[in-house]
Amino acid sequence: MTFFRGRRLRKTQSLRDIVQETWLRPEDLVQPYFVVETSDKNFSKEITSMPGQFQLSLFKLEEKVTKAVDNGLKSVILFGIPEKKDEIASEAYNPKGIVQQAVHKLKRKFPDLVVITDVCLCEYTSHGHCGIIEDRHVQNDPTLKLLAKTALSHVKAGADIVAPSDMMDGRVKAIREILDKHGFIETPIMSYAVKYASSFYGPFREAAESTPQFGDRKSYQMNPANSNEAILEAKADFTEGADIIMVKPALPYLDILQRLKDSLFCPLAAYQVSGEYAQIKAASLNGWIDEKNVVLESLISIKRAGANLIISYFTEQVLKWL
């Protein structure tokens, strides 16, 4: 009597390799960086809740990216921390703002590096929300104009891809229109189309200094209980002109990635967020897990679910392992 013997193809590492279905490549990974507007050229501050991640001056950013590029880094995403914040996030769209300077600096030194910029206002507003506030409520349509101005300023500085993460309705359309109007027809938009109001963002808010000063972001980020809504959000952004659709966070929403892979047929990104990173790091530092194997397994699972790109704070480490 014959029966299935799956172990035949698991006997040796060489056999396992030739039938492996999903592989992780340097091209799949994006490293986030937090760049700070500061007069201290050597500013480098480790983020307490994210061991191994730093707030960096422009000089230190270039230094760190240089080492990562030598190890095979292909893509970065930039988050800016301005010296001054106000209610209208004026530093977000300042042509000489911190992210604009960082983009220019990196593209000048690494012309082949894919530089993505996070387009949002929360790091730049005094209240920490992602848009214009009126009566303690985020105003959707007035915010669109500022997001579009921010995206345009990033592209003028040299950004290869802009990534709106604010979750305002219609922002992809507003950004696509302003980019096209100014001749940037070929600049892609990677939309945080499916961004959940997640509890996994805590360490990021320390890193980006973007904690809301009142309330929360549940009126514009998605309810973690909803799945069909994710498909509607993704299709809406794709129709408005998004070239890549992102799901955030990654591991708790692999089912959403799989659904989008089966229904949308466009490039997908997933963000392995700060809370996911912090949990693995904490467990590793306590000796409870094998960090390398857990990280690689988690990233493979994200890619297997459908992600073409993975934004991960582990990227620099993984490049050394690969």
Side-chain angles (χ1 to χ4, degrees):
M1 179 180 177
T2 60
F3 53 90
F4 174 68
R5 290 189 180 272
R7 292 183 59 189
R8 288 184 184 131
L9 295 176
R10 302 178 198 140
K11 186 176 180 180
T12 67
Q13 185 64 52
S14 296
L15 283 172
R16 293 192 292 272
D17 285 346
I18 65 170
V19 295
Q20 183 164 321
E21 299 172 26
T22 307
W23 292 90
L24 198 61
R25 310 170 305 152
E27 290 82 1
D28 302 327
L29 301 170
V30 181
Q31 174 68 43
Y33 290 103
F34 299 96
V35 57
V36 179
E37 186 176 17
T38 174
S39 58
D40 181 359
K41 173 184 173 183
N42 292 307
F43 182 85
S44 177
K45 178 183 177 184
E46 188 169 27
I47 300 158
T48 308
S49 54
M50 298 174 68
Q53 302 302 306
F54 298 82
Q55 293 179 335
L56 302 164
S57 66
L58 284 168
F59 176 76
K60 285 296 184 179
L61 171 70
E62 183 177 358
E63 194 174 78
K64 211 164 192 333
V65 172
T66 298
K67 292 178 182 177
V69 167
D70 289 343
N71 286 325
L73 180 69
K74 304 296 182 184
S75 307
V76 303
I77 185 166
L78 300 177
F79 298 88
I81 305 168
E83 192 172 20
K84 297 178 181 178
K85 303 187 179 193
D86 57 34
E87 291 189 356
I88 58 171
S90 55
E91 286 302 306
Y93 41 89
N94 180 354
K96 296 182 180 180
I98 185 59
V99 163
Q100 291 83 349
Q101 292 182 58
V103 170
H104 181 71
K105 194 175 190 68
L106 291 182
K107 289 303 294 183
R108 184 174 55 190
K109 183 164 185 178
F110 309 106
D112 294 329
L113 181 70
V114 177
V115 176
I116 307 165
T117 58
D118 178 79
V119 177
C120 196
L121 306 183
C122 61
E123 299 110 297
Y124 305 91
T125 54
S126 53
H127 46 71
H129 278 284
C130 302
I132 299 297
I133 297 291
E134 186 177 316
D135 297 327
R136 296 176 67 87
H137 182 70
V138 177
Q139 304 298 304
N140 193 93
D141 293 4
T143 299
L144 300 182
K145 297 176 183 178
L146 301 188
L147 293 167
K149 284 176 65 177
T150 301
L152 179 62
S153 71
H154 291 177
V155 175
K156 284 184 174 179
D160 296 293
I161 300 173
V162 289
S165 62
D166 54 283
M167 286 299 285
M168 298 298 115
D169 296 331
R171 88 269 204 210
V172 172
K173 182 175 183 289
I175 291 171
R176 186 73 272 158
E177 286 178 350
I178 200 170
L179 293 184
D180 291 356
K181 180 181 177 181
H182 287 82
F184 298 107
I185 296 171
E186 295 186 354
T187 299
I189 297 172
M190 178 169 70
S191 174
Y192 289 65
V194 184
K195 182 177 180 180
Y196 285 92
S198 173
S199 299
F200 285 85
Y201 301 150
F204 174 91
R205 290 171 183 168
E206 176 197 346
E209 299 180 9
S210 61
T211 303
Q213 298 303 300
F214 63 88
D216 53 41
R217 296 183 175 135
K218 293 180 180 179
S219 68
Y220 44 101
Q221 294 177 358
M222 283 182 51
N223 183 343
N226 291 356
S227 175
N228 290 336
E229 183 184 358
I231 309 304
L232 293 174
E233 287 281 1
K235 287 183 176 179
D237 282 9
F238 186 68
T239 300
E240 289 180 15
D243 302 279
I244 303 170
I245 295 296
M246 189 194 298
V247 175
K248 180 182 179 182
L251 283 175
Y253 299 95
L254 295 184
D255 60 317
I256 305 300
L257 263 175
Q258 182 68 54
R259 285 194 65 184
L260 288 173
K261 179 183 179 182
D262 292 341
S263 62
L264 205 55
F265 308 112
C266 75
L268 298 176
Y271 201 141
Q272 187 182 46
V273 299
S274 59
E276 297 174 73
Y277 174 88
Q279 288 180 109
I280 294 173
K281 273 291 181 185
S284 173
L285 290 169
N286 277 287
W288 297 336
I289 60 169
D290 181 316
E291 181 175 331
K292 178 180 177 180
N293 286 329
V294 168
V295 169
L296 291 176
E297 184 177 342
S298 69
L299 293 173
I300 282 287
S301 74
I302 296 167
K303 191 172 180 191
R304 188 185 67 239
N308 302 94
L309 285 176
I310 304 172
I311 301 173
S312 173
Y313 298 98
F314 288 110
T315 293
E316 287 183 345
Q317 284 182 253
V318 173
L319 290 172
K320 295 176 184 177
W321 298 334
L322 293 181

